[in-house]
Amino acid sequence: GQNIDQPTEMTATEGAIVQINCTYQTSGFNGLFWYQQHAGEAPTFLSYNVLDGLEEKGRFSSFLSRSKGYSYLLLKELQMKDSASYLCAVMDSNYQLIWGAGTKLIIKP
Amino acid sequence: GAVVSQHPSWVICKSGTSVKIECRSLDFQATTMFWYRQFPKQSLMLMATSNEGSKATYEQGVEKDKFLINHASLTLSTLTVTSAHPEDSSFYICSARTSSGGDTGELFFGEGSRLTVL
């Protein structure tokens, strides 16, 4: 079966760095996405990785290792507004997105 | 980026009534739109894939006669929850891709529609 695993909840301090991990097992791979979702709102796109390595975009970076079925989202200089759920999603061989359950990130002052 | 508009944002209805939710791509043509349902503290669950001009493809366990999907044009898809019951109360979200597969596949989401069935 297809499976996406990510921690349920994480807590970090404002100004610090946090890494949210995601492991996956899917039928085929056509890219991995990270989305941010604030409570009561629709997800917003953060990053897309299809090749191994690190993609940096401002305070957010995303890493992918296809051989390990592993990705992480790195958030630097955390701000209170970063408190949200972070969803990992993998596009399988049929170009369908398989979603993780999301990681709720709590930022403390 | 591309804009997807969803309406209404909030809807409260009585049990047994039907509710229609619209999803529009405002500045691009969406050959494929997706409908998701999200219960509190749970991940997005794909309900169906809607292709313009053809019947929607429903995920296993989703009743196609209860959740009617129409994708009559390249910019509009509708989800109708028929004979709604309290257990249908959820956050319904649509999304669209600017092209079908093979690209980054970035999805653009509507704002979501929160349905409460009394």
Side-chain angles (χ1 to χ4, degrees):
Chain A
Q2 307 203 93
N3 193 49
I4 309 284
D5 285 318
Q6 53 182 129
T8 304
E9 187 174 296
M10 298 182 71
T11 302
T13 304
E14 189 176 16
I17 299 173
V18 71
Q19 177 175 311
I20 303 174
N21 296 325
C22 171
T23 58
Y24 62 90
Q25 292 176 310
T26 57
S27 55
F29 179 83
N30 279 301
L32 185 144
F33 299 77
W34 283 97
Y35 281 82
Q36 180 190 61
Q37 186 179 25
H38 286 100
E41 298 180 13
T44 55
F45 172 79
L46 290 178
S47 68
Y48 169 74
N49 294 68
V50 68
L51 299 176
D52 290 349
L54 185 68
E55 295 277 346
E56 297 185 77
K57 189 184 294 184
R59 295 188 298 114
F60 292 3
S61 302
S62 57
F63 171 84
L64 174 68
S65 170
R66 288 171 296 171
S67 61
K68 295 181 180 179
Y70 166 71
S71 172
Y72 67 72
L73 178 69
L74 190 71
L75 294 77
K76 302 177 183 176
E77 301 170 17
L78 286 171
Q79 302 174 9
M80 297 303 293
K81 67 178 182 179
D82 297 330
S83 292
S85 287
Y86 291 85
L87 307 176
C88 172
V90 173
M91 184 170 283
D92 68 9
S93 56
N94 295 318
Y95 296 98
Q96 298 299 317
L97 278 180
I98 312 301
W99 293 88
T103 298
K104 182 179 180 181
L105 178 62
I106 300 169
I107 309 296
K108 295 185 175 180
Chain B
V3 177
V4 175
S5 176
Q6 195 170 333
H7 176 82
S9 299
W10 294 83
V11 58
I12 300 174
C13 70
K14 293 182 178 180
S15 184
T17 61
S18 294
V19 174
K20 180 185 283 188
I21 302 170
E22 293 186 348
C23 179
R24 294 180 183 273
S25 55
L26 298 185
D27 51 0
F28 67 99
Q29 294 184 330
T31 53
T32 305
M33 289 185 171
F34 303 89
W35 286 95
Y36 295 88
R37 181 167 53 184
Q38 186 177 37
F39 292 107
K41 299 184 180 180
Q42 295 186 26
S43 185
L44 298 174
M45 185 186 77
L46 179 65
M47 297 175 66
T49 302
S50 168
N51 295 296
E52 185 268 337
S54 63
K55 292 183 178 180
T57 302
Y58 289 81
E59 296 300 302
Q60 191 173 8
V62 178
E63 300 174 60
K64 60 182 180 181
D65 294 331
K66 181 171 182 62
F67 299 99
L68 301 178
I69 293 173
N70 183 282
H71 194 157
S73 77
L74 287 171
T75 59
L76 174 64
S77 177
T78 60
L79 166 68
T80 301
V81 183
T82 62
S83 186
H85 290 284
E87 57 265 30
D88 298 324
S89 298
S90 185
F91 192 45
Y92 292 88
I93 309 173
C94 74
S95 69
R97 280 210 294 256
T98 54
S99 60
S100 57
D103 59 1
T104 65
E106 180 180 345
L107 290 179
F108 297 94
F109 285 86
E111 306 92 330
S113 300
R114 186 161 300 283
L115 171 64
T116 301
V117 184
L118 303 178

